[in-house]
Amino acid sequence: MTSVVEVPAAEAAEPTAADWAAAVAAVRGGQAGGTVLLVCHVNPDGDALGSMLGVALGLRRLGITQLQATFPGATAGATGGGYAGPPEVPEPFRWLPGLDLVVPADSAYPAPDLFLCFDAASASRLGALADRLDTAGAAVVLDHHASNTRFGGIHLVDPGAAATSVVAEGLLSRLEVPLDAEIAQCLYVALATDTGSFRFDMTTPAVHEMAARLIATGISPGEISRRIFDTRPFGAVRLYGDVLQRAQLEPDAAGGVGLVWTYATLDDLARHGQKAYVLEALIDSVRCAAEADVSCVIKQVGPAEWAVSMRSKGAVDVSRVAVALGGGGHRLAAGFTGRGTVDDVIGAIRAEL
Ligand code: 5GP
Ligand code: MN
C-alpha cells in the first residue's frame, strides 16, 4: 500500500501548459453530455483509488452524469457486500466517498467519450481496460511514475509529484472545482499513502501545503490514518508473525549492501483466514532491517505466480530491477510479477541485483 517515492531527477519533465490545457478541454468536452470512464491500476492502492475517486467526485460536481469509475477485475461486489474473492476494493478503503461510482470492469463503457487513468505507469497496469486507450474519444493519463511509458494521448505525468493525487488536485483546480471534504478525503488518502504518512523524501513543502488545503476542508487525519494504516484483523497480526519469522538476511547480496526478504503463500493467507490486501503493509515491517539496503516481499497470487514488492534505502535503484523482470515503479519502491517457485523468483532478483 505504501510506496517510497524518489527525489525528482533534475530532468524530470512535468506536464506543460499545453498538456494541462488539453486535459481541461477534454473534460469540458465530457461536460457536454458524453460518457466519462475513470480507471486506476490493477490491485489499486490508496493513491490509485484516492486520486481516481477524488477526480470522479470533482467531475460529478461539474455536472457530468454519465460517469463511471473502475479498475481491472472489479466485480459487482467491489464496493462491499458479500463478494469473497479478489480483486476488490481493499477493506481499508471501503469507506471512501465516491465508491458508488465504481462499476464492475466488464460493464464499463466500451468506448467512452473521455477516458482518464490514474497511477498506472504502463498500459498493462490497466489490464483488459487498456483497450479504452484505443476506443475512447480522448485519453488522459494522470501519473507520477518516472518509469511511465507515455502511453495514451494526453499526458499529465509528473515524476516530481509525490503522488498521482498531486496531479489530480492540479487538474481539479484548473477545472475550478473547489475542494470539499469528500474530495479531500480521497486525495488525502492518496497523498498519505504514497508519502508513507509524510515520511518519505518526496514530502516537500508543496506536499504539506496540499495536505493543509485538504485538512482545511474539515477532514480528520487521525481517523483516516487509523482506518488505512492502523487497522488490521487479528488474524493478520498472527499471519505477520509467521511470515516475518521466516525472513532471511543476505548481507553479501546486492553487491554487499545487503538483501532482506520473505514470502507469503496462499496457504498462509488461508490458514489465518486473511485476504491478500493485508500483506500490502508487510514490506514496511521487513524493510526496517538495518543490515540490508534492499528489501523484498514475495506474495503468492496463483499456483506459480507471485506479486513482488521491493524497496531500497538508497544504494540500489530497485525500479531498474523491477523493469528488467517485467515490472516497474520508482527508484526506491518497485514491483513486478514473478513466475515459478519462491526460489526461482528470489534467484532472479539476486541475479539482477
Ligand atoms: P508495491 O510494492 O507497494 O505494491 O509497489 C511499489 C511500486 O512498484 C508502486 O509504485 C507500483 O507502481 C510499482 N509496482 C508494483 N508492482 C508492479 C508491477 O507488477 N508492475 C509494474 N509496472 N509496477 C509495479
Ligand atoms: Mn502512486
Side-chain angles (χ1 to χ4, degrees), residues 3 5 41 45 47-48 51 119 143-145 162-165 190 194 330:
S3 56
V5 179
H41 67 69
D45 60 9
D47 190 29
S51 30
D119 206 36
D143 188 33
H144 69 126
H145 292 91
T164 295
S165 65
D194 267 24
H330 310 278

Side-chain angles (χ1 to χ4, degrees), residues 230-244:
D230 299 335
T231 303
R232 207 169 289 161
F234 179 64
V237 176
R238 302 288 300 263
L239 168 64
Y240 271 46
D242 285 4
V243 173
L244 290 173

Side-chain angles (χ1 to χ4, degrees), residues 1-5 41-43 45 47 119-122 124-125 143-145 147 149 193-194 280-281 283-284 297 299 306-311 318-319 322-323 325-330 332-338:
M1 177 192 305
T2 52
S3 56
V4 189
V5 179
H41 67 69
V42 66
N43 300 325
D45 60 9
D47 190 29
D119 206 36
S122 62
S124 66
R125 300 280 283 162
D143 188 33
H144 69 126
H145 292 91
S147 68
T149 59
T193 298
D194 267 24
E280 293 289 316
I283 188 71
D284 294 321
V297 171
K299 297 165 278 191
W306 308 80
V308 181
S309 288
M310 285 186 297
R311 299 291 185 270
V318 288
S319 77
V323 167
L325 297 171
H330 310 278
L332 303 184
F336 68 97
T337 299

Side-chain angles (χ1 to χ4, degrees), residues 23-46:
V24 167
V27 173
R28 296 281 181 220
Q31 264 181 290
T35 52
V36 180
L37 176 65
L38 297 85
V39 170
C40 66
H41 67 69
V42 66
N43 300 325
D45 60 9

